[in-house]
């Protein structure tokens, strides 16, 4: 006899038996083809979901850093802190 089940549908319309599987399907679709023949896509999507807390924190950190304004330094008084131009430092030490 047929029975009713709870199922989930991803954004592409594919049926999944769990919400996690549907979300992995959506992430995989967003990533596109990863690796030869796209064989790595589902694994990468699963890893992204499993590492969600750390990934969300990294994005929150990035958003926070993007919102910061540069610190202005008043050069009229003698400074006790040496300020380095990191871009010039990188170019010199190449």
């Amino acid at each position: 006899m047929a029975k009713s089940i709870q199922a989930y549908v991803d954004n592409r319309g594919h049926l999944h038996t769990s919400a996690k599987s549907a979300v992995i399907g959506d992430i995989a679709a967003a990533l596109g083809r990863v690796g030869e023949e796209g064989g790595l896509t589902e694994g990468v999507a699963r890893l992204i979901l499993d590492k969600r807390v750390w990934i969300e924190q990294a994005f929150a950190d990035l958003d926070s850093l993007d919102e910061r304004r540069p610190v202005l330094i008043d050069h009229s008084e003698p400074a006790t802190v040496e300020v380095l131009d990191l871009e010039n430092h990188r170019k010199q030490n190449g």
Side-chain angles (χ1 to χ4, degrees), residues 6-42:
Q6 183 173 0
Y8 302 85
V9 178
D10 64 22
N11 289 330
R12 295 178 295 172
H14 296 135
L15 191 65
H16 299 269
T17 57
S18 72
K20 183 176 180 177
S21 176
V23 171
I24 288 170
D26 288 340
I27 293 170
L31 291 172
R33 299 172 66 88
V34 178
E36 291 182 27
E37 305 288 323
L40 297 175
T41 305
E42 184 178 335

Side-chain angles (χ1 to χ4, degrees), residues 20 46-63:
K20 183 176 180 177
R46 186 175 305 280
L47 191 58
I48 288 170
L49 188 61
D50 290 345
K51 303 293 182 178
R52 175 183 177 174
V53 172
W54 293 278
I55 292 170
E56 286 178 347
Q57 183 61 54
F59 279 117
D61 292 346
L62 177 63
D63 292 343

